[in-house]
Amino acid sequence: MEGGQPGQGGYPVSYSLGWHGGIHLEAPIGGADRLSVRAIADGTVVYVRQPTQRAHPVPDDHPLNYRGAWTSDGCVVIRHETEIGADANNVATSVTFYSVIMHLHSILPAVRRNQPIYRKDEIGQAGYIYGEPHKIHFEIVCDDANLARLVGRASGELNTGADGRTDAIYGEMYFRLPAGTRIYGAAPLNNNPVAHRQPPAPTPGAALPAPVPLTETHTTATPLFVGLRYAGGEGLAVNRGDAYLATYQLDGTPLGAALEENDAEYNLYRTATAISNAYPAAARPAPSAVYELLRFGRVIGPDALVPADVPHWREIRYPGGRGWVNLNATDVTQFSDADFPQWKGWTLIDDSADLDSRCNSPTIKGWLDQDGDGKVDPNEAVSLLANDDIQAKMRRTICKIPTEWERATVDFRWGWLKEASEENLAPISEEDFLRLREHIEALAFWEEANVGISSNHWHFQPREFVRVFRKCGWLDEEALRRVYPNATNVNVARYRLDLNRCCRKY
């Protein structure tokens, strides 16, 4: 996904502080030609508009020749229906989202409405955006119900007072340590939730003395988040089985580099078994449950953790040092990337109430209000939108905003351009607005597409959406039928949840 830089093609706002629900991408060069636009996931084509052929010379008054620069109007919309997990009652978490590809120069004849399309299938060639070739506008959108399924909530921040979702759980695991958490300077015994160490035998062959309590070396003054990530076979050969323990402050700022546990993932079964065997024979927790404690930070499968306070000791960084903490303490809550947590930058934006094309979100405008006067000068925003920290925040916003592709609302959404305001220092004339309206209407498609969701819907930054859901790995029934083409549909349906859970766990 080359492109998507801040400016007129950035997400979720342009330099003029107008909403922009996607990103502009440039087709990379592959050999002697530009690479084709391809589908990001399996789905069904729900709308196709073949591009208008450009005449030579182009008439000055052509709606797609706005300000003397041609913009391609080829468009494809794909509905993606899949699953990202399942709950304890074996109800799959089904999700539906849409990808919108605009400004295509050409579309293959095989891309037809109501026909299936598969991940990496070729769609066509990128076109022009205001005279710049090899460009598309790309967005990913969903409705209210599917936002809640995709990110685990419908509004606001993630509730950190209770554990996160377990129907979908993937990527980095997170642990909220409350203020007052005790951290120890040495590794405690792995079968006691209260930190103890085992003194050596007084003489060779003698019985071990009773364990001795450890004294904490640090007590946290503020809450912290600990992230646990397994390499999952990625990286250098010597690191592909490692675990990484990162510590984050409440705003997501990391405390130094993550601590690395060599081969921790390769040793998960061995470590879980050792912890189980450290308990008396009549009171040993199921190794499978201990394994999940180490993998996910909590038990999500059918084997109960008995006793429930089996410790999960890990070495972490804290302000000023490093030490050992129990991540399964009763006051520690657990989450994963599937919760889209705010300390990793995820923000749900639904505070721009007027539904026009201006960004009136107090949250976003607050990020761009450098001097704190409550106003954002568009000229000031130009430099701020290019700031790396601001861009990091923008990329992980999920914004509920009106589509820019609806004809019926052009006057309402863009009429503000005719009036002077803090966002619009140079209002345009009525004649110029009529020309703009013609251009926007020529690109619009929402009414005839009949996508099936409201024109005011949720938008994701496409690159971040793809990046986070690459971590999921859950395969729906249709995908598994193609993985196992010789299996009966009955068997695929019967075993698909167990197969997904097995792959996720092991």
Side-chain angles (χ1 to χ4, degrees), residues 125-177:
Q125 293 294 320
Y128 289 86
I129 299 181
Y130 301 116
E132 296 186 12
H134 316 301
K135 296 284 186 74
I136 62 167
H137 169 99
F138 183 56
E139 55 186 73
I140 293 176
V141 302
C142 73
D143 61 13
D144 290 354
N146 282 284
L147 175 82
R149 297 185 194 117
L150 285 162
V151 308
R153 63 187 182 279
S155 62
E157 293 189 339
L158 175 64
N159 173 22
T160 61
D163 290 344
R165 66 193 303 192
T166 56
D167 60 329
I169 185 167
Y170 54 78
E172 192 169 3
M173 305 296 136
Y174 302 102
F175 307 82
R176 183 187 183 275
L177 309 182

Side-chain angles (χ1 to χ4, degrees), residues 452-496:
I453 64 174
S454 166
S455 60
N456 184 43
H457 46 247
W458 294 93
H459 295 68
F460 292 81
Q461 208 272 15
R463 185 186 284 110
E464 291 299 308
F465 183 93
V466 170
R467 181 177 286 125
V468 70
F469 280 105
R470 273 182 171 173
K471 302 174 183 178
C472 180
W474 191 276
L475 298 178
D476 64 16
E477 191 168 335
E478 173 61 23
L480 282 173
R481 284 199 185 101
R482 290 192 288 120
V483 171
Y484 299 107
N486 296 324
T488 67
N489 289 344
V490 171
N491 281 340
V492 169
R494 178 183 298 165
Y495 297 119
R496 65 189 181 89

Side-chain angles (χ1 to χ4, degrees), residues 48-64:
V48 178
R49 179 176 62 198
Q50 290 291 338
T52 299
Q53 296 304 306
R54 182 171 52 161
H56 296 282
V58 179
D60 290 340
D61 61 351
H62 196 292
L64 296 177

Side-chain angles (χ1 to χ4, degrees), residues 255-491:
L255 289 177
L259 299 182
E260 193 168 346
E261 295 182 14
N262 294 120
D263 287 349
E265 186 167 23
Y266 293 153
N267 293 329
L268 270 173
Y269 173 76
R270 183 183 304 162
T271 304
T273 302
I275 292 173
S276 178
N277 289 341
Y279 281 79
R284 285 176 181 162
S288 175
V290 180
Y291 183 104
E292 290 189 355
L293 185 69
L294 301 175
R295 165 71 82 187
F296 305 115
R298 53 199 148 145
V299 175
I300 63 173
D303 294 318
L305 187 66
V306 181
D309 63 357
V310 172
H312 182 188
W313 293 106
R314 297 277 186 166
E315 187 179 18
I316 67 164
R317 291 192 190 277
Y318 60 83
R322 51 195 286 182
W324 293 79
V325 65
N326 180 11
L327 299 180
N328 193 36
T330 56
D331 54 358
V332 174
T333 46
Q334 294 94 10
F335 312 91
S336 82
D337 278 326
D339 293 293
F340 288 73
Q342 56 268 13
W343 59 89
K344 295 300 289 184
W346 292 104
T347 309
L348 272 59
I349 302 289
D350 186 17
D351 54 1
S352 186
D354 56 17
L355 298 184
D356 67 14
S357 66
R358 282 181 295 189
C359 172
N360 279 332
S361 162
T363 303
I364 290 180
K365 293 182 77 172
W367 295 341
L368 300 175
D369 182 12
Q370 199 168 31
D371 55 13
D373 65 354
K375 299 179 180 179
V376 179
D377 186 318
N379 297 323
E380 178 184 40
V382 169
S383 60
L384 286 177
L385 283 171
N387 178 276
D388 289 344
D389 291 338
I390 295 295
Q391 273 301 298
K393 290 181 177 180
M394 294 290 190
R395 283 194 297 269
R396 292 204 161 186
T397 59
I398 305 171
C399 301
K400 189 174 187 182
I401 54 178
T403 182
E404 59 186 283
W405 311 117
E406 188 175 39
R407 286 192 188 88
T409 56
V410 173
D411 284 349
F412 173 74
R413 288 185 294 109
W414 290 102
W416 60 275
L417 288 173
K418 296 185 287 184
E419 301 174 1
S421 67
E422 65 179 71
E423 299 97 346
N424 188 39
L425 304 179
I428 65 176
S429 68
E430 183 67 31
E431 181 181 357
D432 287 341
F433 180 78
L434 292 176
R435 183 83 173 89
L436 172 64
R437 184 171 68 186
E438 272 190 333
H439 172 64
I440 295 174
E441 289 176 344
L443 291 172
F445 65 85
W446 192 258
E447 286 88 344
E448 61 261 33
N450 194 23
V451 170
I453 64 174
S454 166
S455 60
N456 184 43
H457 46 247
W458 294 93
H459 295 68
F460 292 81
Q461 208 272 15
R463 185 186 284 110
E464 291 299 308
F465 183 93
V466 170
R467 181 177 286 125
V468 70
F469 280 105
R470 273 182 171 173
K471 302 174 183 178
C472 180
W474 191 276
L475 298 178
D476 64 16
E477 191 168 335
E478 173 61 23
L480 282 173
R481 284 199 185 101
R482 290 192 288 120
V483 171
Y484 299 107
N486 296 324
T488 67
N489 289 344
V490 171
N491 281 340

Side-chain angles (χ1 to χ4, degrees), residues 8 125 182 211 245 361 487:
Q8 303 308 329
Q125 293 294 320
R182 297 174 181 178
L245 275 297
S361 162

Side-chain angles (χ1 to χ4, degrees), residues 98-257:
Y98 298 83
S99 57
V100 178
I101 307 104
M102 172 60 86
H103 308 310
L104 288 159
H105 177 70
S106 64
I107 300 171
L108 293 182
V111 180
R112 303 193 308 274
R113 196 166 190 166
N114 298 324
Q115 293 299 305
I117 192 168
Y118 298 104
R119 177 173 174 261
K120 296 188 180 182
D121 274 359
E122 188 175 354
I123 294 171
Q125 293 294 320
Y128 289 86
I129 299 181
Y130 301 116
E132 296 186 12
H134 316 301
K135 296 284 186 74
I136 62 167
H137 169 99
F138 183 56
E139 55 186 73
I140 293 176
V141 302
C142 73
D143 61 13
D144 290 354
N146 282 284
L147 175 82
R149 297 185 194 117
L150 285 162
V151 308
R153 63 187 182 279
S155 62
E157 293 189 339
L158 175 64
N159 173 22
T160 61
D163 290 344
R165 66 193 303 192
T166 56
D167 60 329
I169 185 167
Y170 54 78
E172 192 169 3
M173 305 296 136
Y174 302 102
F175 307 82
R176 183 187 183 275
L177 309 182
T181 297
R182 297 174 181 178
I183 301 177
Y184 301 89
L189 292 174
N190 61 12
N191 64 347
N192 194 333
V194 180
H196 282 71
R197 66 177 179 86
Q198 178 62 65
T203 58
L208 290 173
V212 177
L214 284 170
T215 302
E216 66 270 19
T217 56
H218 179 77
T219 302
T220 59
T222 60
L224 296 172
F225 292 100
V226 173
L228 167 62
R229 178 178 65 84
Y230 288 102
E234 297 183 354
L236 298 175
V238 295
N239 302 123
R240 290 175 186 163
D242 292 357
Y244 298 88
L245 275 297
T247 304
Y248 306 96
Q249 299 181 64
L250 285 180
D251 64 357
T253 303
L255 289 177

